């Protein structure tokens, strides 16, 4: 998200000594440092070790909202950090439950009277974020609209209310995939956190049985169902799982361990294949994200082609309404349908398959 036009100067309270940031771009961080040269700037992710298991006095305890959200207060204690200001930028790839969990976690580190600023892209819509802030803090406002961004503002009162979104528990999933009993722990805001998604299952069941894959990439792995199913079914395969979401990567890593596969199935924090450009794969398997820009989807397809060996295969699933066949064919030359959901499944999914020729067409 480009926040080139956000002017933080009028929004930063005088006398700010401690700031917590979360998901902010390097430019925003630099502007904050320029505005508050004396202040200590802490990253929310680095505060996760200050773990308690409950929210501020008088609020619901934080349950099952992912590892980071457990950095709340012990009941009755003061804020963990007691910061004067928090600044969060909402990433486009995370869901509302996750955003709510992160807002709650930020709130726990703020002193009473502290200001929370949420910078969000206009195109993502700010109404839900505003509602969540109002639910948590009692009041919130649009403090700035500028260029492509909206800045929301709330002040931490004596109480912070944990919304249902933020505390929705994520159970452990047990599933039989490719004939193997597998277990997955998930987390708030992760894709299909309560059950293996139908599209994901359709892809897994459509995977060719006969192949000589050595290296497989699960692109956009979430908590890891595809990569982990491949790894358990074909022990000779080395699986890399990649996701842009740190919580997904952490869950995928935990799940590889939980299923005793961590030696041959590893998770990487990666925007597309950026962390894996030096690796080559025989197959890229992916339940592609569809709540992203078209250009991002196109990039993920092109990057898949780039990391495949000649003869390597791309196998992806998307909701049938998101038809990527032309886009995949424009990169790979051809594309075929491997599987489609049975009639009546909502939403219906389509699994497609493409092979990288010696000379990719792009
Ligand atoms: C539809 S979900 C699939 C998750 C998992 N593979 C499953 O089947 O349950 C898409 C995943 O892609 C990830 N994602 C979105 N944009 C990405 C990007 N630019 N690079 C890598 N992963 C991305 C999301 O965080 C999400 O976990």
């Amino acid at each position: 998200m480009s926040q080139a036009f956000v002017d933080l100067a009028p929004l930063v309270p005088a006398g700010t000594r401690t700031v917590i940031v979360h998901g902010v771009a390097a430019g925003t961080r630099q502007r904050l440092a320029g505005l508050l040269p004396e202040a200590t700037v802490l990253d929310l992710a680095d505060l996760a070790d200050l773990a308690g298991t409950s929210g501020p006095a008088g609020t619901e305890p934080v349950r099952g909202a992912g590892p980071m959200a457990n950095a709340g207060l012990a009941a009755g204690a003061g804020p963990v950090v007691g910061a004067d200001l928090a600044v969060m930028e909402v990433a486009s790839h995370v869901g509302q439950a996750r955003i709510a969990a992160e807002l709650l976690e930020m709130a726990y580190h703020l002193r009473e009277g502290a200001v929370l600023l949420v910078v969000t892209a206009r195109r993502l819509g700010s109404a839900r974020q505003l509602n969540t802030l109002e639910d948590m803090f009692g009041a919130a406002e649009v403090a700035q609209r500028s260029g492509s961004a909206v800045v929301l503002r709330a002040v931490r009162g004596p109480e912070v209310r944990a919304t249902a979104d933020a505390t929705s528990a994520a159970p452990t999933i047990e599933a039989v995939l490719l004939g193997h009993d597998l277990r997955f722990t998930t987390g708030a805001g992760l894709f299909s956190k309560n059950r293996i998604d139908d599209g994901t299952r359709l892809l897994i069941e459509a995977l060719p049985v006969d192949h000589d894959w050595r290296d497989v990439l699960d692109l956009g792995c979430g908590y890891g169902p595809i990569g982990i199913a491949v790894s358990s079914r074909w022990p000779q395969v080395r699986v890399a799982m990649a996701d842009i979401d740190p919580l997904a990567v952490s869950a995928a890593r935990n799940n590889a361990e939980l299923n005793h596969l961590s030696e041959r199935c590893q998770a990487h924090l990666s925007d597309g294949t950026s962390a894996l450009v030096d690796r080559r794969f025989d197959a890229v398997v992916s339940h592609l994200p569809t709540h992203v820009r078209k250009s991002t989807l196109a990039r993920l397809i092109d990057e898949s082609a780039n990391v495949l060996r000649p003869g390597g295969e791309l196998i992806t699933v998307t909701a049938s309404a998101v038809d990527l066949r032309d886009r995949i064919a424009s990169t790979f030359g051809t594309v075929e349908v491997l599987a489609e959901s049975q009639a009546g499944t909502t939403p219906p999914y389509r699994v497609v398959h493409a092979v990288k020729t010696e000379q990719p067409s792009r």
Side-chain angles (χ1 to χ4, degrees), residues 93 190-192 197 199-200 218-226 242-245 248 270-273 286-290 292 296 299-300:
H93 62 273
L190 293 186
F191 176 76
S192 199
D197 173 75
T200 299
D218 174 2
L219 183 59
C221 62
Y223 54 83
I226 302 174
D243 206 290
I244 196 171
D245 178 350
S270 182
D271 179 359
T273 61
S286 179
H287 186 159
L288 285 167
T290 42
V292 292
T296 304
R299 175 170 62 83
L300 294 177

Side-chain angles (χ1 to χ4, degrees), residues 70-342:
N70 283 331
L73 295 178
V80 176
V81 170
D84 310 295
L85 172 68
V87 182
M88 169 170 168
E89 285 182 10
V90 173
S92 58
H93 62 273
V94 302
Q96 185 60 26
R98 170 74 176 282
I99 292 168
E102 291 173 350
L103 282 171
L104 185 62
E105 189 186 348
M106 297 279 272
Y108 287 167
H109 291 293
L110 297 178
R111 66 167 172 77
E112 196 177 330
V115 169
L116 175 68
L117 300 176
V118 177
V119 186
T120 182
R122 266 180 192 245
R123 68 181 172 80
L124 296 179
S126 50
R128 286 193 72 185
Q129 261 65 275
L130 192 62
N131 284 343
T132 304
L133 283 172
E134 282 168 351
D135 285 350
M136 280 183 187
F137 295 92
E141 60 177 1
V142 174
Q144 196 176 98
R145 283 182 205 279
S146 42
S148 56
V150 177
V151 185
L152 308 177
R153 179 177 181 279
V155 175
R156 192 206 194 282
E159 279 193 13
V160 179
R161 241 172 48 83
T163 62
D165 254 3
T167 57
S168 52
T172 297
I173 299 173
E174 297 192 355
V176 180
L177 298 175
L178 299 175
H180 290 251
D181 289 318
L182 298 170
R183 290 175 64 211
F184 302 94
T185 57
T186 69
L190 293 186
F191 176 76
S192 199
K193 69 181 190 318
N194 294 315
R195 55 191 283 273
I196 303 293
D197 173 75
D198 290 340
T200 299
R201 194 178 273 279
L202 190 71
L203 179 147
I204 291 171
E205 289 172 358
L207 291 173
V209 181
D210 229 0
H211 56 70
D212 53 5
W213 296 342
R214 292 269 150 213
D215 293 283
V216 170
L217 169 62
D218 174 2
L219 183 59
C221 62
Y223 54 83
I226 302 174
I228 286 171
V230 167
S231 181
S232 62
R233 170 67 177 81
W234 292 289
Q236 75 282 9
V237 171
R238 203 158 61 115
V239 175
M241 304 187 284
D243 206 290
I244 196 171
D245 178 350
L247 191 58
V249 174
S250 151
R253 202 167 276 153
N254 287 344
N255 289 328
E257 207 172 304
L258 191 65
N259 293 286
H260 312 290
L261 298 167
S262 32
E263 295 254 307
R264 55 179 197 262
C265 182
Q266 274 141 19
H268 306 264
L269 182 62
S270 182
D271 179 359
T273 61
S274 59
L276 298 155
V277 282
D278 297 332
R279 301 253 320 252
R280 287 296 170 269
F281 298 93
D282 305 300
V284 175
V285 289
S286 179
H287 186 159
L288 285 167
T290 42
H291 298 293
V292 292
R293 288 171 190 269
K294 269 190 180 166
S295 58
T296 304
L297 269 176
R299 175 170 62 83
L300 294 177
I301 292 165
D302 288 346
E303 289 183 5
S304 299
N306 291 339
V307 296
L308 280 171
R309 298 189 172 113
E313 304 172 65
L314 172 68
I315 301 172
T316 69
V317 66
T318 53
S320 306
V322 182
D323 191 347
L324 294 172
R325 283 176 288 179
D326 286 349
R327 187 60 190 75
I328 292 174
S330 81
T331 301
F332 283 80
T334 57
V335 65
E336 59 166 347
V337 175
L338 268 194
E340 289 192 274
S341 299
Q342 284 180 350

Side-chain angles (χ1 to χ4, degrees), residues 15-31:
T16 295
R17 282 179 308 180
T18 310
V19 188
I20 299 175
V21 294
H22 180 52
V24 303
T28 308
R29 209 177 165 128
Q30 268 167 13
R31 265 173 276 150

